[in-house]
Amino acid sequence: MASSSSSGLTFKLHPLVILNISDHYTRVKSQSHSAAASDGADSSPPPPTRVLGCVIGVQRGRTVEIFNSFELLYDPSTHSLDRPFLEKKQELYKKVFPNFYILGWYSTGSDAQESDMHIHKALMDINESPVYVLLNPSINRAQKDLPITIYESELHVIDGIPQLIFVQATYTIETVEAERISVDHVAHLKQSDGGSAATQLAAHLTGTHSAIKMLNSRIRVLQHYLLSMQKGEIPCENSLLRQVSSLLRRLPTIESERFRDDFLMEYNDTLLVSYLAMFTNCSSTMNELVDKFNTAYERHSRRGGRTAFI
């Protein structure tokens, strides 16, 4: 494996991919430990847990952005993938995310293995230059960087024989606002001294609330001062009035017609996205139900001589 990539591609990785891989690994490891415990204490320990899946996203020029991922079925004895399952998942994701393409695959482990190249080559009929995202699940408290490595494949001549090898590529973490809030809530969830759940996001929102509360109290002081000045209870100071006028000009105008139109447009767009997400989930669930019904009805029709009607 070479030290670094020479392709010049820029990789952007979204936190959702890291969470999906971690969740996949945790579920499989928990299930394997439960199965080992049910077999008895005398059974041999299970092999190290390893999971595989595909990463999807978009490529714009020399920039590759990885948005999401899904799991794959893999046979370790033959180093082969379940192609029908992969094609089915690809078809479903295409319906929801038509602009996303399979960019490569992911796995878990401390380093890339020789058998990984078999899986890598198996995906080259979908993407001629797939990427390999590797998550190291082992805990290293001294490590400050994320335990994620992205590999590319390059053709090198070794001992006069051209061979595909993995080369490490650099990447950056790319997030959107909704991702940042949700990932921060999940990743930094911990117990405070009082025993209640506290996050950095909660602390940030508390600080923002305190700042808004203080601003409101200062505005009330100014309002009370101006009312007193208007009633003649205190002398009028033109220099102070100019400062208050300058301060008010800095405040955003939220009662204008333009603000109301922009706010309603953004609010309607948010509702529309929520409705589309709901319809997409309903359509996906309905498709799965129809597929299951057709499968069950087809088995019944083979015995009774009837045909499926969906």
Side-chain angles (χ1 to χ4, degrees), residues 12-21 53-58 65-71 89 93 96-97 100-106 131 133 174 179:
K12 296 181 179 181
L13 183 64
H14 282 253
L16 180 59
V17 180
I18 305 176
L19 291 178
N20 286 344
I21 301 175
C54 273
V55 293
I56 60 176
V58 296
E65 193 166 358
I66 305 174
F67 283 94
N68 207 338
S69 64
F70 59 85
E71 304 171 12
K89 295 289 288 186
Y93 268 89
V96 183
F97 307 105
F100 286 4
Y101 296 91
I102 293 181
L103 300 176
W105 63 292
Y106 71 80
V131 298
V133 181
E174 187 79 9
E179 241 177 359

mmCIF file of all heavy atoms in Angstrom, residues 12-21 53-58 65-71 89 93 96-97 100-106 131 133 174 179:
data_model
loop_
_atom_site.group_PDB
_atom_site.id
_atom_site.type_symbol
_atom_site.label_atom_id
_atom_site.label_comp_id
_atom_site.label_asym_id
_atom_site.label_seq_id
_atom_site.Cartn_x
_atom_site.Cartn_y
_atom_site.Cartn_z
ATOM 1 N N LYS A 12 -14.876 14.851 0.514
ATOM 2 C CA LYS A 12 -15.655 15.447 1.591
ATOM 3 C C LYS A 12 -16.561 14.370 2.171
ATOM 4 O O LYS A 12 -17.353 13.769 1.453
ATOM 5 C CB LYS A 12 -16.478 16.638 1.091
ATOM 6 C CG LYS A 12 -15.634 17.803 0.591
ATOM 7 C CD LYS A 12 -16.514 18.954 0.134
ATOM 8 C CE LYS A 12 -15.678 20.133 -0.347
ATOM 9 N NZ LYS A 12 -16.532 21.275 -0.783
ATOM 10 N N LEU A 13 -16.427 14.135 3.471
ATOM 11 C CA LEU A 13 -17.164 13.066 4.140
ATOM 12 C C LEU A 13 -18.164 13.679 5.115
ATOM 13 O O LEU A 13 -17.812 14.515 5.937
ATOM 14 C CB LEU A 13 -16.194 12.151 4.896
ATOM 15 C CG LEU A 13 -16.784 10.934 5.590
ATOM 16 C CD1 LEU A 13 -17.379 9.960 4.580
ATOM 17 C CD2 LEU A 13 -15.717 10.233 6.436
ATOM 18 N N HIS A 14 -19.429 13.240 5.010
ATOM 19 C CA HIS A 14 -20.474 13.734 5.904
ATOM 20 C C HIS A 14 -20.555 12.851 7.147
ATOM 21 O O HIS A 14 -20.352 11.632 7.073
ATOM 22 C CB HIS A 14 -21.819 13.761 5.183
ATOM 23 C CG HIS A 14 -21.963 14.922 4.255
ATOM 24 N ND1 HIS A 14 -22.776 16.012 4.544
ATOM 25 C CD2 HIS A 14 -21.391 15.198 3.060
ATOM 26 C CE1 HIS A 14 -22.701 16.884 3.557
ATOM 27 N NE2 HIS A 14 -21.873 16.418 2.648
ATOM 28 N N PRO A 15 -20.884 13.423 8.307
ATOM 29 C CA PRO A 15 -20.933 12.645 9.548
ATOM 30 C C PRO A 15 -21.947 11.510 9.525
ATOM 31 O O PRO A 15 -21.786 10.535 10.257
ATOM 32 C CB PRO A 15 -21.305 13.694 10.611
ATOM 33 C CG PRO A 15 -20.919 14.994 10.024
ATOM 34 C CD PRO A 15 -21.114 14.851 8.543
ATOM 35 N N LEU A 16 -22.985 11.621 8.704
ATOM 36 C CA LEU A 16 -23.986 10.554 8.646
ATOM 37 C C LEU A 16 -23.366 9.227 8.235
ATOM 38 O O LEU A 16 -23.775 8.163 8.714
ATOM 39 C CB LEU A 16 -25.095 10.947 7.665
ATOM 40 C CG LEU A 16 -26.225 9.943 7.474
ATOM 41 C CD1 LEU A 16 -26.933 9.660 8.790
ATOM 42 C CD2 LEU A 16 -27.214 10.429 6.433
ATOM 43 N N VAL A 17 -22.368 9.274 7.371
ATOM 44 C CA VAL A 17 -21.699 8.044 6.950
ATOM 45 C C VAL A 17 -20.985 7.396 8.135
ATOM 46 O O VAL A 17 -21.056 6.172 8.339
ATOM 47 C CB VAL A 17 -20.699 8.346 5.812
ATOM 48 C CG1 VAL A 17 -19.998 7.073 5.361
ATOM 49 C CG2 VAL A 17 -21.408 9.009 4.643
ATOM 50 N N ILE A 18 -20.300 8.198 8.933
ATOM 51 C CA ILE A 18 -19.582 7.668 10.096
ATOM 52 C C ILE A 18 -20.557 7.061 11.093
ATOM 53 O O ILE A 18 -20.320 5.976 11.646
ATOM 54 C CB ILE A 18 -18.740 8.771 10.754
ATOM 55 C CG1 ILE A 18 -17.789 9.406 9.726
ATOM 56 C CG2 ILE A 18 -17.952 8.236 11.934
ATOM 57 C CD1 ILE A 18 -16.982 10.564 10.263
ATOM 58 N N LEU A 19 -21.678 7.731 11.315
ATOM 59 C CA LEU A 19 -22.684 7.202 12.241
ATOM 60 C C LEU A 19 -23.290 5.903 11.724
ATOM 61 O O LEU A 19 -23.540 4.969 12.495
ATOM 62 C CB LEU A 19 -23.775 8.242 12.469
ATOM 63 C CG LEU A 19 -23.380 9.489 13.261
ATOM 64 C CD1 LEU A 19 -24.560 10.447 13.362
ATOM 65 C CD2 LEU A 19 -22.899 9.114 14.642
ATOM 66 N N ASN A 20 -23.539 5.827 10.423
ATOM 67 C CA ASN A 20 -24.103 4.598 9.845
ATOM 68 C C ASN A 20 -23.143 3.422 10.004
ATOM 69 O O ASN A 20 -23.554 2.309 10.368
ATOM 70 C CB ASN A 20 -24.423 4.816 8.371
ATOM 71 C CG ASN A 20 -25.654 5.670 8.151
ATOM 72 O OD1 ASN A 20 -26.432 5.866 9.062
ATOM 73 N ND2 ASN A 20 -25.813 6.186 6.951
ATOM 74 N N ILE A 21 -21.870 3.638 9.721
ATOM 75 C CA ILE A 21 -20.883 2.552 9.851
ATOM 76 C C ILE A 21 -20.761 2.123 11.302
ATOM 77 O O ILE A 21 -20.721 0.925 11.619
ATOM 78 C CB ILE A 21 -19.518 2.999 9.295
ATOM 79 C CG1 ILE A 21 -19.639 3.399 7.826
ATOM 80 C CG2 ILE A 21 -18.494 1.875 9.441
ATOM 81 C CD1 ILE A 21 -18.351 3.972 7.241
ATOM 82 N N GLY A 53 -20.408 -2.323 3.499
ATOM 83 C CA GLY A 53 -21.515 -1.589 2.915
ATOM 84 C C GLY A 53 -21.036 -0.686 1.801
ATOM 85 O O GLY A 53 -19.833 -0.607 1.515
ATOM 86 N N CYS A 54 -21.973 -0.012 1.171
ATOM 87 C CA CYS A 54 -21.664 0.910 0.075
ATOM 88 C C CYS A 54 -21.804 2.350 0.567
ATOM 89 O O CYS A 54 -22.644 2.639 1.418
ATOM 90 C CB CYS A 54 -22.612 0.682 -1.108
ATOM 91 S SG CYS A 54 -22.057 -0.597 -2.244
ATOM 92 N N VAL A 55 -20.981 3.222 0.004
ATOM 93 C CA VAL A 55 -21.100 4.657 0.259
ATOM 94 C C VAL A 55 -21.607 5.311 -1.016
ATOM 95 O O VAL A 55 -21.211 4.956 -2.122
ATOM 96 C CB VAL A 55 -19.761 5.277 0.703
ATOM 97 C CG1 VAL A 55 -19.356 4.738 2.058
ATOM 98 C CG2 VAL A 55 -18.661 5.023 -0.311
ATOM 99 N N ILE A 56 -22.519 6.277 -0.843
ATOM 100 C CA ILE A 56 -23.126 6.952 -1.985
ATOM 101 C C ILE A 56 -22.955 8.462 -1.833
ATOM 102 O O ILE A 56 -22.774 8.972 -0.720
ATOM 103 C CB ILE A 56 -24.625 6.600 -2.130
ATOM 104 C CG1 ILE A 56 -25.391 7.016 -0.872
ATOM 105 C CG2 ILE A 56 -24.803 5.132 -2.401
ATOM 106 C CD1 ILE A 56 -26.883 6.790 -0.970
ATOM 107 N N GLY A 57 -23.000 9.136 -2.954
ATOM 108 C CA GLY A 57 -22.836 10.586 -2.949
ATOM 109 C C GLY A 57 -22.758 11.104 -4.367
ATOM 110 O O GLY A 57 -23.284 10.502 -5.306
ATOM 111 N N VAL A 58 -22.068 12.216 -4.534
ATOM 112 C CA VAL A 58 -21.940 12.860 -5.842
ATOM 113 C C VAL A 58 -20.477 13.222 -6.077
ATOM 114 O O VAL A 58 -19.712 13.392 -5.134
ATOM 115 C CB VAL A 58 -22.826 14.127 -5.945
ATOM 116 C CG1 VAL A 58 -24.288 13.785 -5.843
ATOM 117 C CG2 VAL A 58 -22.437 15.140 -4.877
ATOM 118 N N GLU A 65 -18.015 13.999 -2.869
ATOM 119 C CA GLU A 65 -18.715 14.246 -1.608
ATOM 120 C C GLU A 65 -19.555 13.025 -1.251
ATOM 121 O O GLU A 65 -20.454 12.632 -2.005
ATOM 122 C CB GLU A 65 -19.590 15.492 -1.726
ATOM 123 C CG GLU A 65 -20.100 16.011 -0.396
ATOM 124 C CD GLU A 65 -20.669 17.421 -0.503
ATOM 125 O OE1 GLU A 65 -20.622 17.993 -1.610
ATOM 126 O OE2 GLU A 65 -21.144 17.941 0.531
ATOM 127 N N ILE A 66 -19.248 12.429 -0.112
ATOM 128 C CA ILE A 66 -19.911 11.203 0.349
ATOM 129 C C ILE A 66 -20.997 11.600 1.348
ATOM 130 O O ILE A 66 -20.703 12.104 2.430
ATOM 131 C CB ILE A 66 -18.900 10.234 0.984
ATOM 132 C CG1 ILE A 66 -17.751 9.945 0.004
ATOM 133 C CG2 ILE A 66 -19.577 8.948 1.396
ATOM 134 C CD1 ILE A 66 -16.644 9.111 0.604
ATOM 135 N N PHE A 67 -22.252 11.352 0.989
ATOM 136 C CA PHE A 67 -23.388 11.794 1.788
ATOM 137 C C PHE A 67 -23.959 10.699 2.675
ATOM 138 O O PHE A 67 -24.351 10.971 3.810
ATOM 139 C CB PHE A 67 -24.507 12.313 0.878
ATOM 140 C CG PHE A 67 -24.262 13.682 0.313
ATOM 141 C CD1 PHE A 67 -23.672 13.831 -0.924
ATOM 142 C CD2 PHE A 67 -24.627 14.808 1.025
ATOM 143 C CE1 PHE A 67 -23.461 15.096 -1.448
ATOM 144 C CE2 PHE A 67 -24.416 16.071 0.505
ATOM 145 C CZ PHE A 67 -23.826 16.219 -0.731
ATOM 146 N N ASN A 68 -24.048 9.470 2.177
ATOM 147 C CA ASN A 68 -24.800 8.445 2.895
ATOM 148 C C ASN A 68 -24.182 7.084 2.620
ATOM 149 O O ASN A 68 -23.218 6.961 1.849
ATOM 150 C CB ASN A 68 -26.269 8.471 2.455
ATOM 151 C CG ASN A 68 -27.203 7.949 3.528
ATOM 152 O OD1 ASN A 68 -26.790 7.210 4.429
ATOM 153 N ND2 ASN A 68 -28.468 8.309 3.446
ATOM 154 N N SER A 69 -24.764 6.059 3.205
ATOM 155 C CA SER A 69 -24.266 4.696 3.021
ATOM 156 C C SER A 69 -25.389 3.709 3.302
ATOM 157 O O SER A 69 -26.399 4.053 3.924
ATOM 158 C CB SER A 69 -23.080 4.419 3.963
ATOM 159 O OG SER A 69 -23.491 4.486 5.316
ATOM 160 N N PHE A 70 -25.206 2.479 2.838
ATOM 161 C CA PHE A 70 -26.136 1.394 3.162
ATOM 162 C C PHE A 70 -25.354 0.092 3.262
ATOM 163 O O PHE A 70 -24.228 -0.031 2.757
ATOM 164 C CB PHE A 70 -27.267 1.283 2.127
ATOM 165 C CG PHE A 70 -26.817 1.029 0.711
ATOM 166 C CD1 PHE A 70 -26.570 -0.261 0.263
ATOM 167 C CD2 PHE A 70 -26.647 2.083 -0.183
ATOM 168 C CE1 PHE A 70 -26.165 -0.510 -1.036
ATOM 169 C CE2 PHE A 70 -26.252 1.844 -1.491
ATOM 170 C CZ PHE A 70 -25.997 0.549 -1.908
ATOM 171 N N GLU A 71 -25.957 -0.889 3.921
ATOM 172 C CA GLU A 71 -25.276 -2.138 4.231
ATOM 173 C C GLU A 71 -25.268 -3.075 3.027
ATOM 174 O O GLU A 71 -26.092 -2.970 2.120
ATOM 175 C CB GLU A 71 -25.941 -2.814 5.430
ATOM 176 C CG GLU A 71 -26.007 -1.941 6.663
ATOM 177 C CD GLU A 71 -26.861 -2.539 7.767
ATOM 178 O OE1 GLU A 71 -27.199 -3.740 7.645
ATOM 179 O OE2 GLU A 71 -27.174 -1.818 8.719
ATOM 180 N N LYS A 89 -31.010 -2.463 -3.487
ATOM 181 C CA LYS A 89 -30.755 -1.284 -2.670
ATOM 182 C C LYS A 89 -30.416 -0.075 -3.542
ATOM 183 O O LYS A 89 -30.862 1.045 -3.273
ATOM 184 C CB LYS A 89 -29.609 -1.564 -1.695
ATOM 185 C CG LYS A 89 -29.911 -2.628 -0.659
ATOM 186 C CD LYS A 89 -30.910 -2.141 0.366
ATOM 187 C CE LYS A 89 -30.314 -1.137 1.303
ATOM 188 N NZ LYS A 89 -31.232 -0.762 2.401
ATOM 189 N N TYR A 93 -32.537 3.477 -3.593
ATOM 190 C CA TYR A 93 -31.899 4.760 -3.310
ATOM 191 C C TYR A 93 -32.003 5.696 -4.506
ATOM 192 O O TYR A 93 -32.055 6.911 -4.344
ATOM 193 C CB TYR A 93 -30.443 4.559 -2.909
ATOM 194 C CG TYR A 93 -30.251 4.415 -1.424
ATOM 195 C CD1 TYR A 93 -30.327 3.163 -0.814
ATOM 196 C CD2 TYR A 93 -30.003 5.516 -0.623
ATOM 197 C CE1 TYR A 93 -30.153 3.029 0.553
ATOM 198 C CE2 TYR A 93 -29.843 5.392 0.739
ATOM 199 C CZ TYR A 93 -29.909 4.140 1.324
ATOM 200 O OH TYR A 93 -29.756 4.014 2.684
ATOM 201 N N VAL A 96 -35.228 7.660 -4.314
ATOM 202 C CA VAL A 96 -35.268 8.716 -3.313
ATOM 203 C C VAL A 96 -34.233 9.796 -3.599
ATOM 204 O O VAL A 96 -34.502 10.986 -3.484
ATOM 205 C CB VAL A 96 -35.060 8.127 -1.906
ATOM 206 C CG1 VAL A 96 -35.185 9.214 -0.839
ATOM 207 C CG2 VAL A 96 -36.054 7.014 -1.634
ATOM 208 N N PHE A 97 -33.019 9.378 -3.974
ATOM 209 C CA PHE A 97 -31.925 10.307 -4.248
ATOM 210 C C PHE A 97 -31.427 10.075 -5.684
ATOM 211 O O PHE A 97 -30.461 9.350 -5.905
ATOM 212 C CB PHE A 97 -30.768 10.113 -3.258
ATOM 213 C CG PHE A 97 -31.185 10.163 -1.815
ATOM 214 C CD1 PHE A 97 -31.278 9.002 -1.061
ATOM 215 C CD2 PHE A 97 -31.490 11.370 -1.209
ATOM 216 C CE1 PHE A 97 -31.652 9.046 0.268
ATOM 217 C CE2 PHE A 97 -31.880 11.425 0.119
ATOM 218 C CZ PHE A 97 -31.957 10.269 0.859
ATOM 219 N N PHE A 100 -27.647 10.752 -6.452
ATOM 220 C CA PHE A 100 -26.593 10.039 -5.733
ATOM 221 C C PHE A 100 -26.171 8.794 -6.517
ATOM 222 O O PHE A 100 -27.007 8.100 -7.106
ATOM 223 C CB PHE A 100 -27.063 9.621 -4.343
ATOM 224 C CG PHE A 100 -27.140 10.758 -3.359
ATOM 225 C CD1 PHE A 100 -26.891 12.062 -3.755
ATOM 226 C CD2 PHE A 100 -27.462 10.530 -2.033
ATOM 227 C CE1 PHE A 100 -26.958 13.118 -2.865
ATOM 228 C CE2 PHE A 100 -27.542 11.565 -1.130
ATOM 229 C CZ PHE A 100 -27.285 12.860 -1.553
ATOM 230 N N TYR A 101 -24.883 8.538 -6.505
ATOM 231 C CA TYR A 101 -24.325 7.363 -7.165
ATOM 232 C C TYR A 101 -23.454 6.590 -6.170
ATOM 233 O O TYR A 101 -22.978 7.153 -5.171
ATOM 234 C CB TYR A 101 -23.476 7.770 -8.378
ATOM 235 C CG TYR A 101 -24.259 8.447 -9.475
ATOM 236 C CD1 TYR A 101 -24.404 9.835 -9.500
ATOM 237 C CD2 TYR A 101 -24.882 7.707 -10.484
ATOM 238 C CE1 TYR A 101 -25.129 10.464 -10.500
ATOM 239 C CE2 TYR A 101 -25.604 8.333 -11.486
ATOM 240 C CZ TYR A 101 -25.721 9.710 -11.486
ATOM 241 O OH TYR A 101 -26.445 10.322 -12.473
ATOM 242 N N ILE A 102 -23.263 5.323 -6.443
ATOM 243 C CA ILE A 102 -22.378 4.509 -5.609
ATOM 244 C C ILE A 102 -20.938 4.930 -5.875
ATOM 245 O O ILE A 102 -20.427 4.790 -6.985
ATOM 246 C CB ILE A 102 -22.578 3.010 -5.891
ATOM 247 C CG1 ILE A 102 -23.972 2.569 -5.441
ATOM 248 C CG2 ILE A 102 -21.513 2.188 -5.173
ATOM 249 C CD1 ILE A 102 -24.252 1.094 -5.660
ATOM 250 N N LEU A 103 -20.299 5.462 -4.856
ATOM 251 C CA LEU A 103 -18.927 5.952 -4.982
ATOM 252 C C LEU A 103 -17.902 4.923 -4.542
ATOM 253 O O LEU A 103 -16.719 5.049 -4.886
ATOM 254 C CB LEU A 103 -18.739 7.229 -4.155
ATOM 255 C CG LEU A 103 -19.640 8.411 -4.540
ATOM 256 C CD1 LEU A 103 -19.409 9.574 -3.580
ATOM 257 C CD2 LEU A 103 -19.376 8.842 -5.975
ATOM 258 N N GLY A 104 -18.325 3.932 -3.777
ATOM 259 C CA GLY A 104 -17.382 2.930 -3.296
ATOM 260 C C GLY A 104 -18.012 2.111 -2.189
ATOM 261 O O GLY A 104 -19.229 1.891 -2.181
ATOM 262 N N TRP A 105 -17.216 1.718 -1.234
ATOM 263 C CA TRP A 105 -17.694 0.837 -0.181
ATOM 264 C C TRP A 105 -16.976 1.159 1.125
ATOM 265 O O TRP A 105 -15.994 1.915 1.145
ATOM 266 C CB TRP A 105 -17.503 -0.626 -0.564
ATOM 267 C CG TRP A 105 -16.069 -1.047 -0.755
ATOM 268 C CD1 TRP A 105 -15.222 -0.645 -1.747
ATOM 269 C CD2 TRP A 105 -15.323 -1.931 0.074
ATOM 270 N NE1 TRP A 105 -13.997 -1.222 -1.594
ATOM 271 C CE2 TRP A 105 -14.026 -2.030 -0.483
ATOM 272 C CE3 TRP A 105 -15.614 -2.667 1.212
ATOM 273 C CZ2 TRP A 105 -13.033 -2.824 0.074
ATOM 274 C CZ3 TRP A 105 -14.628 -3.461 1.773
ATOM 275 C CH2 TRP A 105 -13.352 -3.539 1.201
ATOM 276 N N TYR A 106 -17.483 0.588 2.230
ATOM 277 C CA TYR A 106 -16.867 0.798 3.536
ATOM 278 C C TYR A 106 -16.702 -0.530 4.246
ATOM 279 O O TYR A 106 -17.346 -1.539 3.916
ATOM 280 C CB TYR A 106 -17.694 1.766 4.390
ATOM 281 C CG TYR A 106 -19.006 1.195 4.897
ATOM 282 C CD1 TYR A 106 -19.070 0.353 6.006
ATOM 283 C CD2 TYR A 106 -20.213 1.530 4.280
ATOM 284 C CE1 TYR A 106 -20.265 -0.156 6.468
ATOM 285 C CE2 TYR A 106 -21.416 1.040 4.741
ATOM 286 C CZ TYR A 106 -21.432 0.192 5.841
ATOM 287 O OH TYR A 106 -22.621 -0.318 6.295
ATOM 288 N N VAL A 131 -14.011 4.238 -4.084
ATOM 289 C CA VAL A 131 -13.259 4.616 -2.894
ATOM 290 C C VAL A 131 -13.555 3.604 -1.793
ATOM 291 O O VAL A 131 -14.595 2.943 -1.788
ATOM 292 C CB VAL A 131 -13.615 6.045 -2.431
ATOM 293 C CG1 VAL A 131 -13.259 7.049 -3.497
ATOM 294 C CG2 VAL A 131 -15.090 6.152 -2.071
ATOM 295 N N VAL A 133 -13.734 3.336 2.294
ATOM 296 C CA VAL A 133 -13.789 4.025 3.586
ATOM 297 C C VAL A 133 -13.624 2.989 4.684
ATOM 298 O O VAL A 133 -14.423 2.051 4.780
ATOM 299 C CB VAL A 133 -15.115 4.792 3.755
ATOM 300 C CG1 VAL A 133 -15.143 5.517 5.100
ATOM 301 C CG2 VAL A 133 -15.319 5.776 2.613
ATOM 302 N N GLU A 174 -17.549 17.434 6.030
ATOM 303 C CA GLU A 174 -18.490 18.427 5.508
ATOM 304 C C GLU A 174 -19.846 18.203 6.178
ATOM 305 O O GLU A 174 -20.345 17.079 6.225
ATOM 306 C CB GLU A 174 -18.628 18.289 3.997
ATOM 307 C CG GLU A 174 -19.444 19.370 3.345
ATOM 308 C CD GLU A 174 -18.676 20.654 3.147
ATOM 309 O OE1 GLU A 174 -17.445 20.666 3.364
ATOM 310 O OE2 GLU A 174 -19.306 21.658 2.769
ATOM 311 N N GLU A 179 -27.414 18.433 10.025
ATOM 312 C CA GLU A 179 -26.478 17.381 10.393
ATOM 313 C C GLU A 179 -25.671 17.783 11.619
ATOM 314 O O GLU A 179 -25.435 16.969 12.516
ATOM 315 C CB GLU A 179 -25.526 17.117 9.210
ATOM 316 C CG GLU A 179 -25.603 15.719 8.673
ATOM 317 C CD GLU A 179 -24.700 15.529 7.477
ATOM 318 O OE1 GLU A 179 -24.031 16.475 7.056
ATOM 319 O OE2 GLU A 179 -24.668 14.409 6.964
#
